[in-house]
Amino acid sequence: MMESYDIVIVGAGPGGSACAKSAAENGARVLLVEKRKEIGAPKRCGEGLSLAAFKRIDLKPEGEWLKQSIKGAFVYSPSGKRVAAYYPNEAGYVIERKIFDKWLAEQASYAGAKVLAGTRATSLVKEGGKITGIKIKDNEGETEVEAKLIVAADGVESLVARWAGLKTTHALADTCSGAQFEMSNVDLEDPHMLEMYMGNEIAPGGYIWVFPKGDKVANVGIGTRHKFAKGKTAYQYLKEFVDSHPNLSKGSILEVNTGCIPVGGPMSGIVADNLMVIGDAAHQVNAIHGGGIGEAIRAGQIAGEVASKCVKSGDCSAAVLKEYETKWYEERGNRLAKLVKLRAVVEELKDKELDYLADQLSGEDIIGLAGAKGYAKFAKILAKKPSLLRFIPRLVKK
Amino acid sequence: MTVIINHEKCAKCTGCVAVCPVQNLEYVGDRIEVSDKCTDCGACIKFCPVGAISKKE
């Protein structure tokens, strides 16, 4: 007999697992499949999660996956000017995704969801145009699973939503190419401070980050955009930076990671009949710093609640599932969309202009901007310099 | 026209799958598989953070 579930979730990243847990807790029969053979590996992530995000997803920062507490960030302008940005209280943490992702999937399983790693979704099953299930494939072959609702949590590379006709493809122009070394035996300015390096010569269209995972261990990564990069790969830019950095060049490389960071803002239309899209697949990422763990989890929680309600009522049409989209936009999406305007300004700033801003902006200003706050003050600072005036209309336009 | 993947360089981030507009690439069994739908747009080559993708004439 064909296996049957209320909800099949594709992708056991933080979003998929959070969605599975939330839907299962609300009484739905849930299957969570993950194509990779190990949940959480290889990581494609700087592994930072702010305290504000922990609060939003109602998770206590404690567990084996917690690596380092962070109190703020040193932001370096192209000329090397350092701005210290301290958060009022504890700022956040760097976590170990390999442990964290697996732990989240484990929690979903205790809530009643069935989790299957090493199992890939191969196609949607449709009857008369309506999604009625999904085909999945493990070592032993392909099977069909009946489902009332499919959740596409399959990451930046989401194909599931594309099979349903949604345009989840990422435009190259709105995509950061990411490369990262997890390094050991490095000297850090302060093992409880993030380091962020800006500049068109070192990280065109993005920035370089150093996220401490311990006193001598850090994720050192870069995001670059093809439009601004001068024929070099993200990896090449990162290697040049590390090799020429006094505190990093003598360090060792424990891991090489790469990733696709969607910085084009959230997509609209994240539900279809019998289908929802969450996390990176739905472009739910902060366009300024590229963070997406907290966004994916919160979206997963909201989607899980709405999904369980819809399967109970027997109506999983787009019109009903839309409640997830509306709620998510009210809580997170509208703010994330606003950040895209700021990104479009920051990415075009010349190195000299970045240096000017480093002189004018305080650490608190920078923290505010990354959270889509303080645009008025930022506009005032831009207005003081004639060459920057041109950016103001773009910042304030609707 | 299509692309070839240097699997030795590839770090399996699947960003090429994300930016491919015609679903020519897919992550299957721990590696990127190339199909026959390539339109030669070059998005995957331009995206790849490690330069693992090149054009196959």
Side-chain angles (χ1 to χ4, degrees):
Chain A
M1 212 182 81
M2 197 193 296
E3 279 217 79
S4 169
Y5 287 89
D6 292 327
I7 305 167
V8 175
I9 301 166
V10 181
S17 289
C19 183
K21 179 171 182 274
S22 144
E25 279 171 350
N26 286 294
R29 292 171 304 121
V30 179
L31 174 66
L32 172 62
V33 296
E34 168 56 50
K35 64 179 179 290
R36 292 178 194 256
K37 292 182 177 74
E38 182 179 2
I39 291 169
K43 71 168 183 263
R44 302 175 283 177
C45 183
E47 303 186 292
L49 194 56
S50 71
L51 197 63
F54 272 107
K55 283 186 182 146
R56 264 199 302 279
I57 61 178
D58 195 23
L59 181 65
K60 280 200 190 91
E62 56 188 37
E64 269 180 75
W65 39 265
L66 207 69
K67 293 298 286 188
Q68 188 80 336
S69 69
I70 298 297
K71 56 191 181 192
F74 292 130
V75 182
Y76 294 84
S77 80
S79 71
K81 183 183 160 66
R82 189 174 97 171
V83 182
Y86 291 94
Y87 284 76
N89 301 309
E90 216 168 1
Y93 296 87
V94 176
I95 62 175
E96 181 76 51
R97 283 288 300 271
K98 258 174 247 187
I99 305 175
F100 183 68
D101 285 27
K102 225 178 263 179
W103 179 82
L104 284 175
E106 204 184 317
Q107 304 312 306
S109 77
Y110 299 144
K114 171 92 169 169
V115 185
L116 295 175
T119 303
R120 181 166 68 92
T122 52
S123 64
L124 292 171
V125 179
K126 293 179 189 172
E127 271 171 35
K130 183 181 180 241
I131 298 168
T132 56
I134 193 162
K135 284 186 183 167
I136 57 171
K137 193 178 176 189
D138 66 7
N139 263 16
E140 294 305 304
E142 193 172 70
T143 48
E144 199 175 308
V145 179
E146 208 177 60
K148 294 172 187 148
L149 175 65
I150 306 294
V151 178
D154 48 341
V156 287
E157 68 270 34
S158 176
L159 292 179
V160 173
R162 293 194 223 176
W163 296 335
L166 298 180
K167 289 187 176 63
T168 57
T169 307
H170 295 265
L172 182 68
D174 287 329
T175 303
C176 259
S177 301
Q180 179 175 267
F181 299 145
E182 183 170 328
M183 300 189 71
S184 67
N185 195 27
V186 291
D187 290 327
L188 300 164
E189 293 287 318
D190 176 334
H192 296 281
M193 291 288 278
L194 309 176
E195 297 170 31
M196 292 172 176
Y197 298 83
M198 311 280 298
N200 292 298
E201 293 303 315
I202 58 162
Y207 70 98
I208 286 172
W209 62 85
V210 178
F211 283 11
K213 292 182 80 171
D215 287 352
K216 303 282 277 179
V217 181
N219 286 326
V220 182
I222 188 171
T224 63
R225 306 245 307 289
H226 179 264
K227 183 181 162 190
F228 303 98
K230 296 156 196 85
K232 283 193 283 188
T233 63
Y235 182 93
Q236 286 166 334
Y237 277 107
L238 178 63
K239 195 157 182 352
E240 279 175 20
F241 176 80
V242 167
D243 286 345
S244 63
H245 194 288
N247 294 349
L248 300 173
S249 55
K250 67 168 183 63
S252 292
I253 296 171
L254 307 181
E255 260 186 45
V256 177
N257 311 127
T258 54
C260 170
I261 311 157
V263 292
M267 63 180 250
S268 55
I270 49 177
V271 297
D273 287 338
N274 310 93
L275 183 111
M276 296 166 129
V277 194
I278 63 170
D280 277 4
H283 308 197
Q284 291 165 333
V285 173
N286 179 308
I288 288 296
H289 58 58
I293 306 169
E295 304 303 344
I297 293 177
R298 187 62 198 126
Q301 291 170 336
I302 297 172
E305 282 161 27
V306 173
S308 56
K309 207 163 65 180
C310 292
V311 295
K312 241 179 253 172
S313 76
D315 183 357
C316 292
S317 65
V320 177
L321 296 178
K322 181 98 182 164
E323 185 188 339
Y324 149 61
E325 181 164 345
T326 307
K327 272 192 177 166
W328 183 79
Y329 263 88
E330 275 171 16
E331 193 180 316
R332 300 300 305 157
N334 294 333
R335 179 175 289 219
L336 293 182
K338 201 176 159 196
L339 282 171
V340 180
K341 284 186 239 172
L342 180 63
R343 190 215 79 196
V345 169
V346 174
E347 73 188 17
E348 285 193 27
L349 294 170
K350 296 184 176 69
D351 281 2
K352 267 190 193 162
E353 295 165 340
L354 285 168
D355 283 325
Y356 163 75
L357 290 174
D359 279 330
Q360 299 287 321
L361 290 167
S362 70
E364 289 68 33
D365 294 338
I366 293 172
I367 288 170
L369 286 170
K373 281 176 266 182
Y375 279 23
K377 183 175 177 197
F378 187 55
K380 263 185 207 160
I381 290 169
L382 292 175
K384 279 196 248 169
K385 210 169 168 74
S387 71
L388 294 174
L389 274 170
R390 68 186 193 281
F391 290 119
I392 295 173
R394 278 204 252 162
L395 200 62
V396 294
K397 80 165 183 224
K398 288 252 160 154
Chain B
M1 218 84 77
T2 187
V3 292
I4 43 173
I5 312 279
N6 180 336
H7 293 287
E8 203 172 339
K9 282 188 172 182
C10 175
K12 307 181 200 305
C13 70
T14 67
C16 53
V17 182
V19 299
C20 176
V22 293
Q23 299 174 36
N24 187 50
L25 302 161
E26 194 174 354
Y27 183 75
V28 181
D30 287 352
R31 63 192 250 153
I32 304 291
E33 297 282 353
V34 182
S35 180
D36 57 2
K37 291 176 273 187
C38 183
T39 58
D40 206 24
C41 75
C44 58
I45 298 172
K46 292 168 188 165
F47 167 78
C48 183
V50 290
I53 310 179
S54 53
K55 202 184 276 188
K56 185 179 174 185
E57 299 296 340

